[in-house]
Amino acid sequence: GQNIDQPTEMTATEGAIVQINCTYQTSGFNGLFWYQQHAGEAPTFLSYNVLDGLEEKGRFSSFLSRSKGYSYLLLKELQMKDSASYLCAVRDRTNDYKLSFGAGTTVTVRA
Amino acid sequence: EPEVTQTPSHQVTQMGQEVILRCVPISNHLYFYWYRQILGQKVEFLVSFYNNEISEKSEIFDDQFSVERPDGSNFTLKIRSTKLEDSAMYFCASMGQGLHEQFFGPGTRLTVL
């Protein structure tokens, strides 16, 4: 199975940068995902890493180190609408590609 | 843009009753999933479905649960005899062949009284 850890809450100021860390332990790694979830809504896909390194997509970047079992999501130029829960999820080496989610990090952006 | 749809958005039922949650995955997607999220807790995998059969199910997915793809578009989750602890948001997701991203539906909030 998977053991996925991420901080419970983070607060940052509008326009600032926030980094959300995620550590994982898995029996067979096949990709790490970041999803955004606003309260009462469905998770929406942000990023996918399967190889080590940084993936950049606009204001959001995600980094992966497979040897350390570590990833982070970097949110730049924070906007009020970025206030949400950010979910780290790991996919293992099974045929069904199911996701195992962390508990999520609630980010609050303040003016 | 194609999207996963789910009905109903909210279902209230009495303990012991049967409920069917419905999902229409994105057309031409081949992998289908049900997840649930109890209020304030993490998203949990329930079951995956591929090639017209269950490919994996979690410990949560006991004999009270079943899934069906009755036609080419719908994907349903049935809970035979609901319990109080089944109250949660249930998300359907689908994924295309060769893709990485699972697309989630808006969810059905199930309340068991």
Side-chain angles (χ1 to χ4, degrees):
Chain A
Q2 283 78 23
N3 188 17
I4 301 166
D5 289 311
Q6 51 182 129
T8 305
E9 295 180 338
M10 301 183 77
T11 302
T13 307
E14 198 174 13
I17 298 173
V18 71
Q19 177 175 315
I20 307 169
N21 296 322
C22 171
T23 57
Y24 65 89
Q25 293 173 319
T26 180
S27 50
F29 178 81
N30 192 20
L32 188 135
F33 296 76
W34 286 95
Y35 278 79
Q36 181 191 60
Q37 187 180 30
H38 285 98
E41 298 183 10
T44 55
F45 171 81
L46 290 178
S47 70
Y48 163 70
N49 296 70
V50 68
L51 300 176
D52 291 352
L54 188 69
E55 293 283 339
E56 296 187 87
K57 191 188 288 187
R59 295 189 298 114
F60 295 173
S61 304
S62 57
F63 171 83
L64 175 67
S65 168
R66 288 171 297 170
S67 62
K68 296 181 179 177
Y70 168 71
S71 173
Y72 68 72
L73 178 70
L74 197 68
L75 285 63
K76 292 178 268 192
E77 300 169 19
L78 280 172
Q79 301 175 10
M80 299 299 285
K81 68 178 182 179
D82 297 329
S83 292
S85 186
Y86 291 85
L87 315 180
C88 176
V90 171
R91 190 171 72 186
D92 62 16
R93 291 185 188 278
T94 58
N95 292 329
D96 66 341
Y97 304 107
K98 72 176 187 296
L99 296 175
S100 297
F101 284 87
T105 299
T106 300
V107 172
T108 302
V109 181
R110 296 199 167 139
Chain B
E1 185 174 331
E3 59 183 16
V4 177
T5 59
Q6 291 184 242
T7 54
S9 57
H10 194 180
Q11 172 95 45
V12 181
T13 190
Q14 295 291 325
M15 191 169 56
Q17 294 296 304
E18 175 184 286
V19 294
I20 297 176
L21 310 183
R22 303 180 191 280
C23 169
V24 179
I26 293 173
S27 170
N28 80 7
H29 278 192
L30 299 178
Y31 297 88
F32 312 113
Y33 309 86
W34 284 100
Y35 295 86
R36 80 170 187 191
Q37 187 174 32
I38 295 170
L39 188 63
Q41 297 187 22
K42 67 179 181 180
V43 176
E44 300 174 288
F45 167 76
L46 290 178
V47 65
S48 55
F49 193 88
Y50 172 73
N51 201 26
N52 286 319
E53 61 183 17
I54 291 174
S55 46
E56 187 167 346
K57 55 187 180 181
S58 71
E59 292 177 353
I60 303 167
F61 195 90
D62 61 22
D63 293 344
Q64 294 300 313
F65 290 85
S66 61
V67 289
E68 262 194 335
R69 188 154 161 82
D71 51 44
S73 59
N74 291 284
F75 180 50
T76 62
L77 174 70
K78 182 193 289 187
I79 309 175
R80 248 179 290 281
S81 177
T82 50
K83 303 188 280 279
L84 294 177
E85 53 265 38
D86 293 329
S87 295
M89 187 75 121
Y90 288 80
F91 294 108
C92 172
S94 71
M95 185 175 74
Q97 185 81 34
L99 300 180
H100 307 298
E101 178 183 351
Q102 289 185 23
F103 293 81
F104 282 74
T108 293
R109 180 166 297 285
L110 177 65
T111 302
V112 182
L113 303 177

